[in-house]
Amino acid sequence: MPKYEKKGFFATLYQYRVAYAYIAPFYILFLIFNLFPMISGFVLSFFRWDGLSDMHFVDVQNYVNLFKDPLFWKALYNTLFIGIIAHIPILLGGLILAYILNSNLVKGPNIFKTIYFMPMVTSAVAITIIFSNMFGYNYGLLNWFLSLFGEAPINWLGGDGSLIKVAVIVMFAWKWIGWNMVIYLAGMQGINNDIYEAAAIDGANHVDIVFKVMIPLLKPIILFTLIQSTIGMFNLFTEPFVLTGSSWTGGTNNGALTLMIYLLNKAPQGGTLYGYASAVAYVITIMIILISTVLNRVTEDREPKGAKR
C-alpha cells in the first residue's frame, strides 16, 4: 500500500485550485465588504475622527464617554422596554397563528398567510405614516374611538413622551408577527404526523401533545426566532424615527430614543463623531452576542444528573 504523503499548503492549494477558484469570489467579497469594515470599525472606535481631519488615538475614551452619557442609558432602556414588550405578542401571537393555520380549522389558509405576511413586505415608512395618523392627537382613529365614550383625547405621540412607546410597540408587533408565523408554520409542517399519532395512542390529550410534543420539537426554531428578534430589537430605527417626526432625539423627553437612533445621531446623520459611533456599534454587537449566548444556554437540552451515555 502506498504510504500517506503529507503535502504542503501550496501543494494542496495547487491540487484543488479549481475548487478554490469557484469559492474565491465569496471570500473576496466577504473580506472586502464584511471583514474589512468590521476590523476597521473596531480600530476606529479607539480614535477621534470627524471623517475629514487627521485621526487622533484616544485609547478607550470613547467607551468611557459612552457609558457616562445618560442618553445612552435612556436609549438602552427604551430599546429593551420596546423590544421585550413587543416581542411577547410577536412570538406568542406568531406561534398561535401558525398553530391555527396548521390545523384544519381555517379554510383558505394561503389567503391568511398572505394577509398576515403583507406588513412584512410593505414599506416601513408607509406603515409608520399610517400609524402616525392612527395615533394622531386631533384626527387620530384611537382618539376618535375614545371620544365615543366621552374620553378626552390622548397625545400619544407627544405630551411627556411616555406614551410614544405604546405606538411603537403596537406598530412593531403588528409588522413582525407575520414573519414569525411563517417560520413557526414551516416548523410545524415539518413535524411528522406519526409522532402526534403515537402520542395520542400513549394517552396524551390535546394539551399534552401541544406542550410536550410540538413545542419541544420546535425548540430550535423558537431559539432562532428569539435570537433574530434580539437582533431586530437592537436595530429598531424606522418606526420610532418616523413616528416622532424624524427626530434624532427620540421625540419629547427622548421617549422613543433607541440605540440605533442614538448611534446614527452621532454619525453619519446627526454628527461626525465616527469613532464614538463605532464604539456604540461594538457595544451593541457585544450585547447581542451576550443575549444570544444566554438564550442558547437557557434553551439547550440538558441531561439529567447521573445519566450515562
Side-chain angles (χ1 to χ4, degrees):
M1 296 180 62
K3 294 183 179 180
Y4 173 75
E5 182 180 354
K6 186 177 181 180
K7 297 182 178 179
F9 171 76
F10 293 102
T12 304
L13 186 65
Y14 178 78
Q15 181 180 0
Y16 299 103
R17 60 189 181 278
V18 176
Y20 285 122
Y22 277 109
I23 65 175
F26 165 78
Y27 286 102
I28 293 173
L29 294 175
F30 175 78
L31 290 173
I32 297 174
F33 296 104
N34 292 88
L35 187 60
F36 175 74
M38 287 189 293
I39 296 176
S40 61
F42 179 71
V43 174
L44 183 60
S45 67
F46 297 99
F47 288 82
R48 184 176 68 251
W49 186 50
D50 60 4
L52 296 174
S53 60
D54 295 335
M55 299 171 61
H56 298 280
F57 181 71
V58 293
D59 202 20
V60 295
Q61 193 60 44
N62 285 329
Y63 293 93
V64 173
N65 294 338
L66 170 63
F67 290 112
K68 287 183 177 180
D69 188 2
L71 274 182
F72 166 76
W73 296 106
K74 178 71 173 180
L76 178 60
Y77 168 77
N78 290 341
T79 301
L80 293 177
F81 182 86
I82 294 172
I84 293 174
I85 300 300
H87 281 99
I88 294 175
I90 288 175
L91 298 175
L92 294 181
L95 188 62
I96 294 172
L97 289 175
Y99 178 76
I100 294 174
L101 292 178
N102 190 50
S103 64
N104 296 323
L105 301 175
V106 178
K107 294 183 179 180
N110 291 331
I111 298 176
F112 288 95
K113 293 177 189 177
T114 304
I115 293 174
Y116 287 123
F117 194 75
M118 188 66 70
M120 185 61 205
V121 297
T122 306
S123 171
V125 176
I127 294 173
T128 308
I129 293 174
I130 294 175
F131 270 82
S132 63
N133 292 324
M134 182 184 300
F135 286 92
Y137 179 71
N138 294 319
Y139 305 102
L141 180 62
L142 288 180
N143 283 339
W144 171 82
F145 182 76
L146 291 175
S147 66
L148 299 178
F149 298 91
E151 298 292 335
I154 300 175
N155 193 355
W156 298 96
L157 306 180
D160 60 357
S162 60
L163 295 178
I164 182 66
K165 297 184 186 65
V166 176
V168 177
I169 290 171
V170 172
M171 189 187 66
F172 191 60
W174 174 82
K175 178 182 178 182
W176 288 94
I177 190 172
W179 174 262
N180 286 284
M181 179 204 70
V182 171
I183 296 177
Y184 289 140
L185 182 60
M188 291 178 185
Q189 293 178 345
I191 300 175
N192 196 323
N193 288 328
D194 294 341
I195 299 177
Y196 297 138
E197 295 175 359
I201 293 173
D202 289 338
N205 55 35
H206 187 73
V207 176
D208 291 333
I209 292 176
V210 171
F211 288 96
K212 296 182 179 180
V213 177
M214 185 185 72
I215 292 182
L217 291 175
L218 290 176
K219 186 181 292 186
I221 297 176
I222 294 175
L223 174 62
F224 170 75
T225 56
L226 284 173
I227 294 176
Q228 189 181 50
S229 298
T230 300
I231 298 173
M233 174 180 67
F234 283 102
N235 286 328
L236 181 62
F237 168 74
T238 304
E239 291 84 355
F241 181 71
V242 179
L243 279 177
T244 55
S246 301
S247 172
W248 289 105
T249 59
T252 307
N253 293 328
N254 312 115
L257 180 66
T258 61
L259 286 174
M260 192 54 59
I261 295 178
Y262 178 82
L263 186 155
L264 294 175
N265 187 35
K266 301 302 178 181
Q269 300 295 334
T272 57
L273 302 176
Y274 288 94
Y276 187 89
S278 298
V280 177
Y282 268 88
V283 169
I284 294 175
T285 302
I286 292 172
M287 288 191 289
I288 293 175
I289 294 173
L290 290 176
I291 295 176
S292 301
T293 303
V294 171
L295 290 174
N296 192 30
R297 291 291 181 87
V298 170
T299 57
E300 69 180 358
D301 294 326
R302 293 181 175 86
E303 293 185 357
K305 293 182 178 180
K308 297 182 179 179
R309 292 183 177 275

